[in-house]
Every structure is written in structure tokens, then in C-alpha cells.
Amino acid sequence: MRAQAPEARGGPGQCRGFAVSPAAKGFQQDMKMKRFMAMLNTNKSEDPPPAELLDLAAQLCQAHQSSSPSLEKLVRAMMGCRHEMYFLTNIHVVRAFVSVYLRQGHHDTACRLLENCKAEEKEQLVQLWHEIHYQKAMEKQQVDFLTPLQKFRCRKRNPPPLSLCPGGLKTRSYSDDVRRQLRSFATGVTANPDRKQREELAKDMNLQPAQVYNWFANYRRRQKACPAPVEQLSGPCPSGALTCYLREEQGEGSYTPQAADGSCVGIGSEQLEITLRPCDPGWELSAADLDKPPEGTYLKMLESR
């Protein structure tokens, strides 16, 4: 009987029935790099460059994204030629340029590159824009990572340019009508609806149940964070409950103390204008109390004047 040949397994770069070793893969990438450099030198005067050269550049950038020396060599070769803007129409090449700039600490240069590149994957370009500013914030704060709140604030402080996001960033805020209905349900029914109630609300407002769940969770957190309102006094203050307020006259060193009946009260060699106003119960002052010399820091203030 004839022996059957081994089945072909794996994708490109693998032999029939056997996986290609890392050394063989590295050799293939080196050959691609030499081929790219030769094509780049041969077609340096052509405008536009051949599509094969652009495709080869994208393949190499994608393959060497984890290899810093090879990627930097590739980026330097594309950066110094006249076809740089043609290369930057591919998202893999753009990502390689940004990665090299970030390793070198050139955050502003990476941002300018994103603003001027012609790649069509706008969402990925916006994500790269945010990653640049995340990296810049981490280096400034000397931390290894940012919390979700720090990333949110970083995005708010550094919105992407119109060339990357012509319509602006998509907001997650709900419409006024949706927020009004949710707030009405929270105050009138319950601020902690069960699963069935959340599903009904989501169906009525064209939302996802998870969105309704998050809104009520945030609502309860906001309510806990808000201080309790201070109750106002319902009745008037007692007639004897008065407090003193100090006020300086326009003339320097000239003060006029007065009691509740409007008469002047002298305190030592100095005079003070004292305004009597209603205050909380338990703080009752009389004209006789005003004749007593002040104590503590109040006395030091008078002496300084």
C-alpha cells in the first residue's frame, strides 16, 4: 500500500506537517526586511510608490511590533524618504511610528503625526491619540498605570482633533427626557429597582438593562455623597438672643460701640461699633455684658488695632 503524505497543517510560514521554527521565522523576516530596503532604494524617485512596497511595509510593521530595534530601523528608513505620507495611509505603519516616538519620549511629534496622517481607521487613530496622552500622564506622575477615572479626566483634557474625529466624541449622556423619567422613577417609586423593573424601564426608553442598572447605581452614590439639607428655624429667635458683629469705620482707629438701645459703649481706651442681630438660642447678651473687657484672641485683635 502507498503511504499517505502527511497532512498540511498551519497557515503561512509552516511546512507540510511541521511547524516552522522561530529561527526560520526570523530568517524569513530578515529576508523581507532586506527586500523592502532594496525596493525602497530602487523606487525612491517614483511617485506614487508601487503598491507592493506599501504592502510589504505594513507586513513588516505588523510583524516587528514587539521588536524594538527592528521596528526602529524600519521606521527610520520610511521616515527619511519622500514616500512617508504614502506609508502613513496604513494603520499598522502609523502604529509603528507612534510606538517608536513614544519610546523616545516625543509625545507631541506623535500627536502631530496622527493629525496629518491619511489612514482611514479613525476609531483606531482616536484610541492611539488617547494612548499617547495616557503615556504622557503616567510619565508626568511617575506611575505605571492610570485608574479609569484618571483616564477619563485625561480624555476630557485632551480631546482628539477634528481631523481624527470630525463629529466630536460620542457622549454617553442620556437625553433630557430619559433622565427626567429615570429621576421621576427614582424619587417616586424606588431608587433600587429590581431586575423586572429595570427591564421594563429599558424597554420603554430604548436602553439596555445594564445602562438602567448603572444609572440607578450612580444615582444612589450621588445621593449618599450629597450632604443632608440643613433645616431652617421655623420660629423667630427669642427677644434676648443677640449676637455681636464687629465693623470698622472708614476713619482709621475710629470705632463706635453701641448697645441694643443704640447707646455707645466704651471698651477701655478704644471704641468699637457693635451690631446686635438675632442669633441661635442660648447666646443672650445684654448691655451690661458689653461693658466687660474682651478676652483671648479678641483682646489681642483690639490691642493690635
Side-chain angles (χ1 to χ4, degrees):
M1 296 178 62
R2 295 179 60 185
Q4 295 181 355
E7 295 182 358
R9 293 179 298 180
Q14 293 186 349
C15 297
R16 296 174 62 86
F18 299 97
V20 179
S21 63
K25 286 185 178 180
F27 177 76
Q28 291 178 1
Q29 295 301 329
D30 290 341
M31 294 301 296
K32 278 188 177 182
M33 180 72 77
K34 292 180 180 179
R35 179 185 170 198
F36 171 78
M37 294 298 181
M39 290 182 62
L40 184 65
N41 188 38
T42 304
N43 299 279
K44 60 182 179 181
S45 59
E46 291 191 21
D47 194 14
E52 184 182 1
L53 181 63
L54 302 179
D55 293 339
L56 189 58
Q59 294 175 18
L60 288 171
C61 288
Q62 191 174 8
H64 292 285
Q65 58 184 352
S66 59
S67 178
S68 178
S70 300
L71 194 65
E72 290 184 5
K73 178 182 178 181
L74 185 62
V75 168
R76 282 197 303 269
M78 290 185 287
M79 194 184 304
C81 71
R82 57 180 296 182
H83 304 315
E84 180 179 355
M85 295 309 300
Y86 290 101
F87 290 120
L88 292 175
T89 58
N90 186 279
I91 187 62
H92 299 296
V93 178
V94 173
R95 193 177 293 274
F97 270 69
V98 170
S99 177
V100 172
Y101 283 139
L102 289 183
R103 288 181 187 138
Q104 297 174 352
H106 301 158
H107 304 90
D108 295 336
T109 306
C111 290
R112 287 195 298 269
L113 182 141
L114 290 179
E115 291 184 53
N116 299 323
C117 73
K118 303 300 181 182
E120 297 180 356
E121 295 82 354
K122 297 300 182 182
E123 293 184 2
Q124 298 186 41
L125 294 178
V126 171
Q127 184 60 34
L128 279 175
W129 176 274
H130 293 322
E131 290 176 3
I132 292 172
H133 291 92
Y134 294 160
Q135 184 70 27
K136 188 176 181 180
M138 286 189 292
E139 292 180 3
K140 182 178 181 180
Q141 301 175 20
Q142 297 182 353
V143 295
D144 296 331
F145 65 93
L146 297 178
T147 64
L149 179 59
Q150 290 174 324
K151 288 184 177 180
F152 172 78
R153 290 174 176 171
C154 186
R155 292 194 300 270
K156 287 294 184 181
R157 287 193 297 265
N158 305 282
L162 293 178
S163 59
L164 300 182
C165 198
L169 289 177
K170 294 182 179 180
T171 177
R172 296 183 180 179
S173 300
Y174 304 131
S175 64
D176 294 339
D177 185 52
V178 170
R179 287 200 301 269
R180 192 181 305 110
Q181 295 182 49
L182 292 172
R183 194 176 298 110
S184 176
F185 189 92
T187 56
V189 182
T190 176
N192 192 10
D194 56 24
R195 181 176 180 178
K196 183 178 179 180
Q197 291 172 322
R198 293 196 300 268
E199 291 177 352
E200 292 178 354
L201 287 171
K203 185 177 180 181
D204 295 339
M205 302 177 190
N206 195 21
L207 300 175
Q208 296 295 328
Q211 292 177 296
V212 177
Y213 175 85
N214 291 333
W215 188 93
F216 278 98
N218 293 330
Y219 176 83
R220 291 192 297 271
R221 279 193 287 267
R222 287 193 298 268
Q223 294 302 312
K224 289 182 181 180
C226 292
V230 180
E231 297 182 358
Q232 296 183 355
L233 295 176
S234 57
C237 292
S239 58
L242 301 175
T243 184
C244 302
Y245 289 85
L246 219 60
R247 189 175 64 186
E248 183 177 351
E249 288 287 343
Q250 294 181 356
E252 183 177 359
S254 175
Y255 306 90
T256 305
Q258 293 181 351
D261 57 357
S263 59
C264 295
V265 180
I267 302 179
S269 60
E270 305 232 341
Q271 289 183 339
L272 298 174
E273 180 182 350
I274 300 176
T275 305
L276 300 180
R277 298 180 182 177
C279 67
D280 295 336
W283 292 84
E284 298 183 358
L285 297 178
S286 61
D289 295 331
L290 298 176
D291 292 334
K292 299 178 182 180
E295 298 178 357
T297 56
Y298 186 49
L299 180 60
K300 294 180 181 180
M301 181 183 65
L302 297 179
E303 292 175 353
S304 64
R305 290 186 177 180

